[in-house]
Amino acid sequence: MTVDNGVNVQALLEAREVLKGAPEAAQFVWRASSKWDNGVHSTTKVEKFFGLGQEQSHKSETVFAADHPEVFAAEDNGITPIEYLLVGLAGCLTAGVASVAQNRGIQLRSVEATVEGEHDIRGILGADSDVRNGFNGIKVVFNVDADATKEEIEALVAQSQKRSAVFDALTNPTDVTVEVA
């Protein structure tokens, strides 16, 4: 049976081999540009990035609206910035499951990830200086229907987690520099 999860694993494996011998080409710079609209609403655009030694572009520019819900006395013109972290984590882990399954010859029928972040907002409101501003914890639950055993599916998810850039960025310290131009 031919497995087709829509992932070109051969191209990924070939890229991995090429980049082993050309680490400078593996250096990517991802970019986003955000503009304040009003209140706590902003619009962020993503189009260009640097990789493989030169400037690159996505097929089209993507625009993201960020705001806060009405319960925060805002207009609710988009999801909150911290929810975008959940979107990124879910997307990265789900893509990883599909890629690993393709590489291991496992046919997927469906993959769903539910991501929840526990957040005590007293920190961001300055109501309690002992409460952190970010998530207290994040839980990801996968529901995978595939031609595989439960153990094989658990291994897919574990390998996806191991290779996820977003999981790594959330679970390991990342240097972040903020400047004013």
Side-chain angles (χ1 to χ4, degrees), residues 7-17 99 102-103:
V7 180
N8 188 343
V9 171
Q10 186 60 40
L12 295 175
L13 294 174
E14 290 170 4
R16 179 174 69 184
E17 288 306 309
S99 298
Q102 183 72 41
N103 191 42

Side-chain angles (χ1 to χ4, degrees), residues 15 24 30-31 33 37 41-42 44 51-52 60 62 64 98 100 113 115 126 136 142 145 150-151 166 169 171 181:
E24 66 284 349
W30 304 103
R31 300 184 187 107
S33 177
D37 293 317
H41 179 218
S42 62
T44 302
L52 302 176
S60 62
T62 303
F64 300 92
V100 175
V115 185
N136 300 322
F142 272 98
D145 182 12
K150 182 174 188 210
E151 291 76 22
V166 178
T171 59

